[in-house]
Amino acid sequence: MNRRNFLKRLGGAGAVAWLMSGRAAAEDVLDGYGNPVSFVDPLSYEQDFQIDPALAPDSVFSLGVGSGDPRPHGIVLWTRVDPAAMADPAAPGAVAFEIASEPEFRQGSIVIRGRATLDGAGDYTVKLPIQHKKLEPLRTYYYRFIYNRCASRTGRFKTLPDAGASLDRIKFAFLSCQDYSNGYYTALAHLAKEDADFVVFLGDYIYETVADPSFQNAQVRPVPPLPSGGSAAAGLEDYRHLYRVYKSDPNLQAVHERFTFIQLWDDHEFANDGYQDYHPDNNPDPAAPTPELRQAANQAWVEYGLADVPFDPAAAPLESVKIYRSFRFGNLMELVATDERLYRDGPPCGGDTALRYLASRCAEAESAARTMLGAPQRDWFLDTVRDSTATWKIWANEVTAMQMKVGPAYVTLDQWDGYPAERAHLLSAIGLYGVKNFIAITGDIHSFIAGYLKPDYDDASAPVGVELVVGSVSSANLVELAQSQLPLPSAPLPAPIPTPPGVGVESLLMASNPHMKFFNSSTHGYCLMDVGQNGVTCTMKAVTTVRQPQAGLYTLKTFLIRKDSAELVAV
């Protein structure tokens, strides 16, 4: 990739890192990420690396720091320099970065240094995909940014093991759905103290709506008004504003500082129940595409996200990014992350709310031609899972794959229930391939669920794997929706599920879905996965409240999945 094309692909995606000094050894710099980064001598004493310890980082690096998409010799580092801290935002200059083997950054511990040119076109975000031989596999490093002698807070990341390495254990958390307005991130305060190697974020990092009187009258902490003045994001500046608000939360910043993220998106990074460049809600003409809005959502996600995903502003919205990718953790685990929004067909029976939620499936929903993944991604997914030699195959899956019904009605056709033929194809193929130790980790529905993956939920066939669904960080759950007298900001359904007298919504869902072994939609939290060669333990952790800034933490449920056995064992 030549320099002109490199800069073009970085357009709108943050700061540009380029060779600022010729002293880095060429043989140490590795290719592999979408956008290469070059470095300076780690022994450099140049002005950009001088620090005044009296300068507080929060006014300069107001959104903290973050890391993502680890590799055996690589990492993506992120921050944003606040333009209010610049003498001239039109000529912001450069930001420096350092990676060290210890958090004190003593001179002998610094392994990598470099600079990046700040650019207002990327909203002053700094996103550096770093690939270097001096980063060793399966090792913890520390990093920071420096701007005008002010150092950011220190972040931490861990590289992946070599692809063929023998690994006994890996620990990670997964989470999703953090509506800022519906509650405090009390779960994240506890997650920041956990023992984990990395975090998988399954989508709905932001919500696109702000102070909509039709359904956001119950806000715990309102989001400041959008630049456009509307109630839903209408363009790039609105999406950027939302990311800045969400990333200002100190508990979210603490989790980013401590853990590397593998990040996906779901619908709310664009629009509720969005598909391709369409969305049925907050839209005067749901049948008309909104390519400019989809492109703006793509760009903001790349600028503010932690994935190694370049943004091409010259490409059409469905081609400007590609977020599906996989991560190999030695011989122990392969994490396969899919995109279930950009290529999916629309609602099968119509975009009206009554046809998407608590609805029967029309004939069109059963069509074998309907897709959520799109053919290229579907083939890639099945090839990756089939060919993986890792013991555990973990599917990072945005929306619930298990069937979810209430009597004859499906809870929502926005989930895999709206794409039953493709689901049956995927899970049948996994069974026919003889893939063992297949686990889906899922978000979206704001509920803790554990159950079985089956090609056909209308027969007694054996499962081909298990699914573990995490409750939301703060977004409204089903019990909150049922108890509220007002529409809630981010409820997974537009109205409560009708229940018989004396029957709770959770009991009703369990009775209607015998393949589910656990269902709780009354709390908020995250899941911890402890992956070993002989088994995986999933611990579902919940907080006592999101309505107050502090909360207690407790274990909601723990499940064990033994090697070569698609069975959920309650611990």
Side-chain angles (χ1 to χ4, degrees):
M1 183 185 295
N2 62 35
R3 186 177 189 273
R4 177 176 295 177
N5 287 338
F6 165 62
L7 295 174
K8 179 181 177 182
R9 285 176 66 84
L10 264 183
V16 175
W18 199 248
L19 186 63
M20 308 292 281
S21 167
R23 291 192 293 269
E27 64 271 15
D28 286 339
V29 179
L30 301 173
D31 193 16
Y33 284 107
N35 301 321
V37 173
S38 296
F39 313 99
V40 302
D41 191 328
L43 298 178
S44 171
Y45 285 91
E46 297 172 31
Q47 179 65 31
D48 286 345
F49 300 97
Q50 304 306 306
I51 294 172
D52 181 351
L55 296 176
D58 292 348
S59 60
V60 177
F61 302 98
S62 56
L63 304 184
V65 299
S67 65
D69 277 19
R71 296 191 177 184
H73 300 278
I75 195 69
V76 173
L77 300 184
W78 184 94
T79 194
R80 179 179 186 265
V81 178
D82 195 318
M86 300 173 183
D88 181 6
V95 62
F97 65 92
E98 298 180 317
I99 300 175
S101 59
E102 56 185 40
E104 294 80 14
F105 291 90
R106 286 190 286 262
Q107 192 63 36
S109 73
I110 297 173
V111 295
I112 292 175
R113 271 179 168 165
R115 294 193 201 86
T117 302
L118 287 166
D119 185 1
D123 204 26
Y124 305 103
T125 57
V126 181
K127 188 171 181 179
L128 306 177
I130 295 168
Q131 184 91 333
H132 202 288
K133 285 184 179 179
K134 289 185 178 178
L135 295 179
E136 299 177 7
L138 200 61
R139 185 167 178 183
T140 297
Y141 291 95
Y142 303 87
Y143 65 96
R144 65 184 177 187
F145 294 88
I146 305 165
Y147 183 73
N148 286 348
R149 300 177 64 85
C150 179
S152 71
R153 293 198 298 270
T154 297
R156 185 186 75 157
F157 69 85
K158 194 170 188 177
T159 51
L160 294 186
D162 281 325
S166 179
L167 196 65
D168 293 329
R169 191 182 190 195
I170 199 82
K171 297 167 77 173
F172 70 93
F174 67 96
L175 62 158
S176 73
C177 303
Q178 53 181 25
D179 179 18
Y180 184 95
S181 67
N182 193 62
Y184 295 96
Y185 294 164
T186 53
L188 300 186
H190 290 283
L191 176 57
K193 302 171 186 175
E194 295 282 6
D195 176 19
D197 296 298
F198 66 101
V199 166
V200 180
F201 196 95
L202 293 165
D204 292 347
Y205 191 96
I206 62 167
Y207 281 75
E208 79 282 12
T209 52
V210 173
D212 187 324
S214 68
F215 66 100
Q216 287 189 315
N217 289 330
Q219 296 183 358
V220 175
R221 48 175 187 168
V223 175
L226 295 170
S228 67
S231 60
L236 179 59
E237 292 309 313
D238 284 349
Y239 285 117
R240 285 171 166 173
H241 168 81
L242 290 167
Y243 282 105
R244 291 195 297 267
V245 171
Y246 279 60
K247 281 182 171 287
S248 70
D249 184 273
N251 292 332
L252 180 57
Q253 290 185 13
V255 172
H256 278 306
E257 288 168 16
R258 183 166 172 81
F259 301 116
T260 296
F261 270 47
I262 294 172
Q263 188 173 353
L264 299 175
W265 62 24
D266 196 20
D267 53 338
H268 289 287
E269 284 89 348
F270 169 44
N272 184 55
D273 288 0
Y275 61 97
Q276 300 177 38
D277 54 358
Y278 297 82
H279 62 99
D281 296 336
N282 299 303
N283 189 355
D285 185 3
T290 55
E292 295 85 2
L293 190 66
R294 175 78 262 187
Q295 190 79 316
N298 291 357
Q299 179 174 339
W301 189 83
V302 171
E303 289 174 349
Y304 280 87
L306 297 166
D308 173 37
V309 175
F311 170 73
D312 186 351
L318 271 61
E319 288 91 41
S320 63
V321 296
K322 190 188 84 169
I323 77 165
Y324 61 88
R325 56 211 195 278
S326 65
F327 301 84
R328 183 67 181 264
F329 294 80
N331 67 344
L332 179 61
M333 184 182 88
E334 186 152 4
L335 180 78
V336 187
T338 51
D339 177 353
E340 296 168 9
R341 290 294 167 184
L342 204 57
Y343 315 112
R344 68 154 70 192
D345 292 322
C349 308
D352 291 347
T353 299
L355 299 175
R356 286 182 281 146
Y357 299 99
L358 299 174
S360 299
R361 273 202 303 239
C362 58
E364 171 61 22
E366 310 290 344
S367 169
R370 280 184 55 74
T371 182
M372 181 181 286
L373 300 181
Q377 182 183 197
R378 181 175 63 239
D379 293 344
W380 167 84
F381 173 78
L382 287 174
D383 289 346
T384 302
V385 172
R386 178 194 61 203
D387 296 341
S388 178
T389 57
T391 300
W392 297 94
K393 277 68 68 173
I394 309 293
W395 178 18
N397 161 61
E398 287 100 308
V399 297
T400 308
M402 289 179 287
Q403 182 173 280
M404 190 181 300
K405 299 179 77 173
V406 177
Y410 293 90
V411 171
T412 166
L413 296 181
D414 187 64
Q415 298 185 136
W416 275 98
D417 277 336
Y419 307 79
E422 185 172 55
R423 174 176 63 191
H425 174 68
L426 292 177
L427 298 179
S428 295
I430 287 169
L432 289 172
Y433 294 156
V435 174
K436 295 183 181 297
N437 307 316
F438 181 72
I439 300 174
I441 57 172
T442 304
D444 178 67
I445 197 66
H446 310 173
S447 306
F448 289 94
I449 314 172
Y452 293 108
L453 296 169
K454 300 175 61 175
D456 186 349
Y457 283 95
D458 294 325
D459 67 19
S461 60
V464 299
V466 304
E467 183 170 22
L468 301 163
V469 185
V470 66
S472 66
V473 171
S474 59
S475 304
N477 54 46
L478 296 177
V479 169
E480 289 172 345
L481 178 62
Q483 293 175 344
S484 177
Q485 299 303 306
L486 293 171
L488 291 172
S490 50
L493 306 178
I497 295 173
T499 58
V503 178
V505 63
E506 296 168 328
S507 299
L508 181 64
L509 284 163
M510 285 286 290
S512 301
N513 300 280
H515 50 277
M516 293 182 179
K517 299 304 174 187
F518 180 73
F519 195 107
N520 181 289
S521 191
S522 63
T523 188
H524 304 273
Y526 53 89
C527 288
L528 291 177
M529 296 282 276
D530 191 338
V531 183
Q533 286 290 353
N534 294 318
V536 173
T537 300
C538 175
T539 304
M540 298 174 171
K541 293 202 170 184
V543 290
T544 53
T545 185
V546 297
R547 315 295 289 181
Q548 301 295 329
Q550 284 83 38
L553 182 74
Y554 62 98
T555 296
L556 184 65
K557 196 74 174 179
T558 301
F559 289 98
L560 170 66
I561 304 100
R562 295 190 178 94
K563 180 182 177 182
D564 297 337
S565 174
E567 180 183 4
L568 288 159
V569 179
V571 178

